[in-house]
């Protein structure tokens, strides 16, 4: 099974003294009984790892560790293993019991500071006692993000996830490449850019420009053509390109004109991976199959452009959806920075390419949709799906393809 490589997952280490509830917290975060919990201190001996998709962070792996205050010979070995976990931790959770801050907490804090690992202090077992003012004050003075939760009662878990998002290393939100990883140095990509009414005069749009820049940054090269010239341009080449990337609106023709053994995808799909969560969007497509006449769909547009007569979000997608469903679909449009609160009213959210949003903002929108249990996808994926070519377009992204086929979660 194709999964997100471990190296591409954000590693979240859970550290703390024995019996503070680290394993209970792992289970609460993953909603699964992953780790053994007991009131005997020293229950966890070896680190326990659980990979999952944690929206809005995307693919993560949690690592539950043995209590670092463990004593005796066996304890020393455990401490050693726990110490090794720090080395692969991108983001840490320091767990302690409410209002307790002792020698071991101080020790872990120092290790995390030394290794420059961002972390959150979690005061667990808040059901037993509220967090005292002087504890709050102390943490604030030390400038440490903290939260009081109850792993047992599953209280504060959602807030903790939000705090994880805020504390995650910034680089995590800036994936380095659009298509560079699909295109080894020296390889060719063909970019298909239709020049229609919606194309801005005298320039290309941001995803096209970003893709060209990304190709150059990766020491590959590209050819830019309009959809009508693609077939002829491909015939002139003495070597097949590695990849063809097209505008979603000409995906059908591009797929037809590209040899079977050459990858075809769309700028929307590339941007969905770059800006959002491609597997989540691929899963969201399954909701289209279940749409019924009179269902409500939210069309979410991040920028506020003046709608044209044949606007993609307002006219074309609603029209194609209705043809697919065979009846009326109520499409509401939200534009700009505001994202409505009443998401639960919708069967599906179809988002634009999010050129003007950053990755964190887009991931937060996906997270909000997920919290309300509403599937979300984007314009380009929807178009490729409705045109029947989505499987071909997801070939370069096997995990997302699996999500479309199986609704694979992690
Ligand atoms: N009241 C209360 N008890 C909790 C909470 N979280 C965990 N516990 C209890 O604390 C005990 C220890 O929980 P674990 O999750 O095993 O703690 P741990 O930190 O993994 O312990 P070691 O693996 O031994 O280091 C168990 O009896 C849990 O039921 C909580 O939020 N509130
Ligand atoms: Mg444990």
């Amino acid at each position: 099974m194709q999964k997100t490589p471990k190296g591409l997952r954000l590693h979240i280490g859970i550290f703390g003294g024995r019996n503070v509830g680290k394993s209970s917290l792992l289970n609460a975060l993953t909603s699964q009984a992953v780790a053994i919990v007991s009131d005997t201190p020293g229950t966890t001996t070896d680190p326990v790892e659980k990979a999952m998709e944690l929206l809005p962070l995307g693919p993560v792996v949690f690592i539950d560790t043995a209590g670092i205050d463990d004593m005796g010979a066996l304890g020393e070995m455990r401490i050693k293993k726990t110490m090794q976990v720090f080395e692969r931790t991108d983001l840490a959770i320091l767990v302690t019991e409410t209002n307790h801050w002792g020698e071991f907490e101080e020790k872990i804090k120092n290790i995390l500071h030394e290794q420059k690992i961002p972390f959150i202090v979690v005061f667990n077992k808040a059901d037993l006692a509220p967090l005292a003012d002087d504890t709050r004050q102390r943490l604030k003075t030390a400038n440490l993000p903290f939260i009081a939760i109850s792993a047992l009662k599953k209280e504060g878990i959602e807030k903790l996830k939000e705090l994880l998002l805020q504390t995650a290393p910034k680089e995590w939100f800036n994936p380095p490449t659009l298509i560079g990883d699909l295109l080894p140095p020296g390889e060719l990509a063909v970019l298909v850019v239709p020049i229609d009414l919606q194309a801005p005069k005298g320039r290309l749009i941001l995803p096209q420009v970003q893709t060209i820049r990304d190709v150059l940054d990766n020491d590959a090269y590209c050819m830019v053509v309009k959809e009508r010239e693609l077939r002829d341009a491909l015939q002139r080449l003495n070597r097949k390109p590695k990849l063809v990337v097209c505008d979603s609106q000409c995906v059908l023709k591009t797929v037809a004109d590209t040899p079977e053994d050459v990858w075809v995808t769309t700028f929307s799909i590339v941007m969905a991976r770059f800006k959002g969560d491609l597997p989540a969007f691929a899963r969201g497509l399954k909701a289209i199959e279940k749409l019924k006449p009179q269902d409500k769909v939210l069309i979410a547009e991040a920028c506020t452009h003046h709608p044209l007569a044949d606007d993609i979000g307002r006219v074309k997608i609603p029209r194609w959806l209705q043809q697919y469903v065979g009846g009326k679909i109520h499409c509401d449009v939200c534009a700009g920075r505001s994202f409505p609160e009443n998401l639960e009213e919708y069967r599906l959210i179809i988002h634009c390419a999010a050129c003007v949003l950053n990755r964190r903002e887009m991931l937060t929108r996906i997270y909000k949709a997920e919290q309300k249990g509403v599937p979300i996808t984007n314009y380009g994926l929807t178009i490729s799906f409705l045109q029947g070519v989505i499987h071909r377009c997801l070939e370069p992204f096997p995990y997302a393809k699996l999500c479309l086929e199986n609704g694979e979660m992690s």
Side-chain angles (χ1 to χ4, degrees):
M1 184 165 36
Q2 288 282 353
K3 291 192 171 183
T4 307
K6 225 170 169 189
L8 293 182
R9 289 182 180 271
L10 185 78
H11 283 53
I12 306 179
I14 305 175
F15 304 95
R18 285 173 303 162
N19 228 28
V20 295
K22 300 180 297 300
S23 301
S24 306
L25 177 59
L26 173 70
N27 294 347
L29 280 165
T30 56
S31 305
Q32 284 176 33
V34 179
I36 299 169
V37 167
S38 90
D39 54 6
T40 312
T43 300
T44 306
T45 53
D46 289 320
V48 175
E49 296 202 358
K50 174 66 186 166
M52 66 176 292
E53 229 177 291
L54 179 73
L55 285 172
L57 278 170
V60 303
V61 53
F62 284 107
I63 314 164
D64 178 26
T65 62
I68 201 165
D69 57 342
D70 215 348
M71 295 300 169
L74 193 58
E76 254 177 48
M77 282 160 66
R78 287 178 193 173
I79 290 174
K80 208 168 159 194
K81 284 213 163 147
T82 297
M83 292 304 291
Q84 286 168 352
V85 176
F86 284 104
E87 291 167 15
R88 57 179 190 275
T89 295
D90 298 307
L91 172 64
I93 303 177
L94 197 176
V95 188
T96 182
E97 289 178 10
T98 333
N99 300 322
H100 177 76
W101 190 270
E103 185 191 333
F104 294 108
E105 286 68 30
E106 199 61 26
K107 185 173 158 187
I108 297 170
K109 184 196 85 176
N110 289 337
I111 296 170
L112 292 167
H113 274 323
E114 272 162 29
Q115 303 202 10
K116 298 193 171 50
I117 301 170
F119 67 97
I120 295 163
V121 177
V122 166
F123 289 101
N124 189 30
K125 311 195 182 182
D127 51 301
L128 299 179
L131 201 58
D133 283 346
D134 60 331
T135 312
R136 283 178 195 278
Q137 206 45 54
R138 203 164 143 188
L139 272 282
K140 271 190 189 146
T141 311
N143 209 10
L144 298 178
F146 65 94
I147 184 170
I149 66 146
S150 167
L152 188 73
K153 300 253 165 83
K154 301 201 171 32
E155 282 163 10
I157 303 297
E158 289 307 317
K159 278 236 156 61
L160 170 59
K161 288 182 184 172
E162 275 173 35
L163 208 53
L164 285 170
L165 173 70
Q166 286 165 21
T167 317
K170 297 277 175 292
E171 312 83 78
W172 182 251
F173 297 98
N174 300 318
T177 184
L178 275 167
I179 57 169
D181 57 331
L182 304 174
L183 198 65
E187 289 286 350
L188 169 70
V190 176
L191 311 183
V192 187
V193 174
I195 303 296
D196 58 10
L197 264 181
Q198 309 217 8
K201 273 213 165 29
R203 62 180 175 87
L204 298 175
I205 59 171
L206 192 57
Q208 297 160 355
V209 175
Q210 277 179 294
T211 307
I212 294 171
R213 175 59 202 256
D214 188 57
V215 169
L216 299 176
D217 282 343
N218 285 284
D219 300 327
Y221 55 104
C222 68
M223 182 166 79
V224 185
V225 298
K226 288 186 293 178
E227 74 275 28
R228 245 183 308 166
E229 284 77 33
L230 175 65
R231 187 183 283 268
D232 180 52
L234 288 174
Q235 274 166 5
R236 284 174 186 235
L237 296 172
N238 58 11
R239 195 154 57 110
K240 283 180 186 169
K242 180 88 184 146
L243 171 73
V244 175
V245 187
C246 68
D247 188 284
S248 302
Q249 301 203 51
C250 60
V251 68
L252 207 55
K253 180 164 171 50
T254 304
V255 163
D257 288 350
T258 306
E260 288 278 324
D261 55 349
V262 176
W263 277 338
V264 180
T265 194
T266 67
F267 288 106
S268 280
I269 291 173
V270 168
M271 286 308 283
R273 185 174 71 134
F274 183 72
K275 275 285 172 65
D277 186 328
L278 183 60
F281 281 169
R283 269 198 300 280
L285 291 173
K286 289 191 102 53
I288 299 179
E289 287 170 356
K290 296 186 197 130
L291 282 180
K292 291 190 291 297
Q294 305 304 332
D295 276 346
K296 281 177 79 175
V297 169
L298 179 67
I299 306 285
E301 213 151 64
C303 62
T304 47
H305 66 272
H306 181 69
L308 291 161
D310 212 11
D311 194 71
I312 179 81
R314 288 169 178 78
V315 182
K316 284 188 180 168
I317 288 181
R319 187 169 65 211
W320 290 330
L321 273 180
Q322 301 196 116
Q323 281 167 1
Y324 181 86
V325 172
K328 174 88 186 148
I329 293 289
H330 300 276
C331 290
D332 291 346
V333 178
C334 74
R337 290 271 141 160
S338 65
F339 199 50
E341 289 294 320
N342 59 335
L343 296 178
E344 62 277 0
E345 288 180 18
Y346 300 97
R347 289 280 165 185
L348 174 66
I349 300 164
I350 306 180
H351 208 285
C352 71
C355 306
V356 301
L357 300 183
N358 73 9
R359 183 163 162 79
R360 192 183 286 240
E361 274 176 298
M362 191 58 231
L363 288 172
T364 303
R365 287 185 172 197
I366 297 172
Y367 177 57
K368 283 184 177 164
E370 179 104 334
Q371 274 193 315
K372 299 265 170 97
V374 186
I376 182 165
T377 189
N378 82 356
Y379 285 11
L381 269 90
T382 302
I383 294 171
S384 295
F385 177 91
L386 292 172
Q387 309 245 355
V389 291
I390 189 67
H391 288 82
R392 174 98 194 257
C393 296
L394 286 180
E395 255 163 34
F397 313 102
Y399 179 59
K401 194 161 174 246
L402 201 69
C403 288
L404 171 69
E405 284 157 6
N406 304 344
E408 183 72 19
M409 275 308 280
S410 68

